Amino acid sequence: MRPGTATVGAVRAAALLLVLTALGATLRHGVDQPGNALAFGTLVALGELARWGAAPGEREPAPLAAAGALAYALLGQSAGNATTHGVLQTVAVVAAGGLAGIVPHLARGRGPGPDHLARRLLTVGFAALCFQPLYNSGAVVRHLGEGPPYALFLGLLLVLTALCDAVLAALLLRARTGFPYGPLLRDELRALLGIGSAVCATGAVMALGVAAAGLWALPVLAVPLLLTQVSYRRYEAVRTVNRQTIASLARATEVAGCTPPGHARRVAALSTAVGRELGLSGAELTVLEHAALMHDIGQLSLVDPVEGGATALLPAEEQRRIALLGGEVVRRTGVPPAVAVIVERQADPYREQPLPARIVRTVNAYDDLTSAGPGTGAGGGAGAVLDALERLRLGTARDHHPDVVECLARVLARGGAAGMTPVVPG
């Protein structure tokens, strides 16, 4: 068994054990304050139902469910009356509400994965464990009261809970992809500044609102997060259209016969994998992916097309000319200037290149040399892959950075870009 598989299995097993324990304890002792449990369980279920239209790879496709679960974990009072639900009932209610909400998605074959559910349950369990025993014992009110110090206490718990979720998310992604843990964790922490901060803030405000006004505060406080979710989905739709536009521009070279079919997509996927391995994250990976998709667009300006579209086999000056033409074309498309810089500098000596340009140049050369999908060697089997890597290593004096070549070799040894998760900027 691979270490990554063992890590994923351990996280899922821990979540399953927690849920079974929580459900067993709740069924045995009964549900404390069933009105609160029903209200928050319904909120979690509705939040999961509202994940319709979530983009693949979206970090928090059900923010209302996450906020409701977090609010129940941090609930100490309801309309001025102390709550008694405790840690295990919190997990049981969140699990039951979540399962009820994802059934329609599972019926359509589009439900959330087990890793997402495991993270949700473990994170909520962590928050409840940090809050419920302290509050129910009276220690929080005795030492902090119910004023600003109590709000600061909730804020600290939110930070710790968000860190717990980020650590789990990066750990699971590391286990599935083998990418370095540091950049993955940095991505998750950056994401906390977006929809993550809205979830945490709404969860805390819900808990405080219900404590003061009762369960009537839930639907009122859920509206802002629903509006945020709609706005976020629209933003994601705009980003999707932009990416589709860039992909269409990249296919123009294939339609014109300047590059082999699928070349731009292969270079983009493998470049992103290599970028992950080298520590790029978030917006840097998005820029790298777009530049890799459009790296050959300068060939559209040539009078005579390059034979086979393999620019890596051309003289250095000709490669440089095509790269400059490509950069000029990219600048006219309205794509961010950082993409154009990578495209026009991909043919420079590697000592003068930014890291993304080094990656695009090396991966493009690899695909040109193998004339097949990354990692498959369809054009000549494993021998073609080894020959291509050997030629890239021989070019490390000027053309290809040694670290990028070795990183490419490691990515290919793991299966190339197959099974990569979508790039989601932080």
Side-chain angles (χ1 to χ4, degrees):
M1 178 183 295
R2 296 184 305 168
T5 304
T7 300
V8 173
V11 171
R12 294 178 180 177
L16 180 60
L17 179 61
L18 176 62
V19 171
L20 293 178
T21 302
L23 290 175
T26 303
L27 291 175
R28 179 180 178 181
H29 301 292
V31 178
D32 290 332
Q33 298 171 317
N36 291 342
L38 179 61
F40 280 95
T42 301
L43 182 63
V44 171
L46 292 177
E48 289 292 348
L49 287 172
R51 69 165 57 236
W52 295 113
E58 188 176 328
R59 280 193 170 86
E60 184 45 78
L64 185 59
L70 187 58
Y72 194 47
L74 301 179
L75 186 66
Q77 291 185 353
S78 178
N81 300 315
T83 59
T84 57
H85 53 275
V87 177
L88 293 180
Q89 182 173 310
T90 298
V91 175
V93 169
V94 171
L99 290 175
I102 66 174
V103 166
H105 302 291
L106 294 175
R108 294 167 57 96
R110 301 172 63 178
D115 291 351
H116 171 80
L117 297 176
R119 275 177 50 203
R120 168 74 57 76
L121 293 168
L122 290 175
T123 301
V124 168
F126 174 83
L129 184 62
C130 290
F131 177 81
Q132 293 292 333
L134 288 174
Y135 191 90
N136 292 338
S137 68
V140 173
V141 175
R142 185 168 58 251
H143 293 289
L144 301 178
E146 297 183 354
Y150 177 69
L152 290 176
F153 171 67
L154 285 183
L156 176 61
L157 288 185
L158 289 173
V159 171
L160 292 177
T161 302
L163 289 176
C164 174
D165 184 64
V167 168
L168 278 175
L171 183 66
L172 290 169
L173 191 55
R174 160 71 179 172
R176 291 196 304 269
T177 65
F179 293 136
Y181 183 76
L184 296 177
L185 179 59
R186 190 163 63 246
D187 270 356
E188 297 299 328
L189 293 176
R190 286 175 178 172
L192 295 178
L193 301 177
I195 194 69
S197 61
V199 169
C200 290
T202 304
V205 171
M206 280 182 175
L208 294 173
V210 172
L215 296 175
W216 290 106
L218 284 181
V220 175
L221 296 174
V223 171
L225 190 57
L226 283 174
L227 295 177
T228 300
Q229 183 174 0
V230 171
S231 299
Y232 185 77
R233 292 280 166 77
R234 290 183 177 178
Y235 167 73
E236 284 294 316
V238 172
R239 287 185 60 249
T240 301
V241 170
N242 288 340
R243 190 184 184 284
Q244 291 172 345
T245 300
I246 291 173
S248 298
L249 290 171
R251 283 196 294 270
T253 57
E254 300 176 12
V255 174
C258 298
T259 57
H263 171 72
R265 294 191 300 276
R266 294 194 299 268
V267 172
L270 191 51
S271 292
T272 304
V274 173
R276 281 278 193 193
E277 186 80 9
L278 287 171
L280 298 183
S281 60
E284 296 172 318
L285 285 172
T286 301
V287 170
L288 172 62
E289 181 188 27
H290 292 171
L293 282 169
M294 304 181 75
H295 75 280
D296 266 334
I297 202 167
Q299 293 198 46
L300 296 175
S301 302
L302 299 178
V303 176
D304 297 319
V306 177
E307 183 178 356
T311 55
L313 306 179
L314 296 175
E317 288 303 317
E318 186 64 13
Q319 292 185 41
R320 176 65 176 159
R321 185 171 77 91
I322 294 174
L324 291 175
L325 291 171
E328 183 63 27
V329 172
V330 172
R331 291 182 192 279
R332 294 175 181 272
T333 63
V335 173
V339 176
V341 170
I342 297 172
V343 171
E344 67 188 8
R345 298 194 62 184
Q346 62 179 305
D348 292 352
Y350 72 74
R351 292 179 178 83
E352 303 172 9
Q353 291 176 310
L355 178 57
R358 294 175 181 176
I359 295 172
V360 171
R361 176 170 191 167
T362 298
V363 174
N364 173 60
Y366 168 80
D367 196 76
D368 284 345
L369 292 171
T370 57
S371 298
T376 64
V385 174
L386 295 176
D387 289 344
L389 289 175
E390 184 62 27
R391 292 186 64 175
L392 293 177
R393 291 188 175 103
L394 292 175
T396 54
R398 178 185 184 279
D399 297 332
H400 306 289
H401 195 286
D403 292 344
V404 176
V405 175
E406 295 309 315
C407 179
L408 172 62
R410 291 196 299 271
V411 171
L412 292 170
R414 292 201 303 265
M420 282 187 57
T421 56
V423 177
V424 183

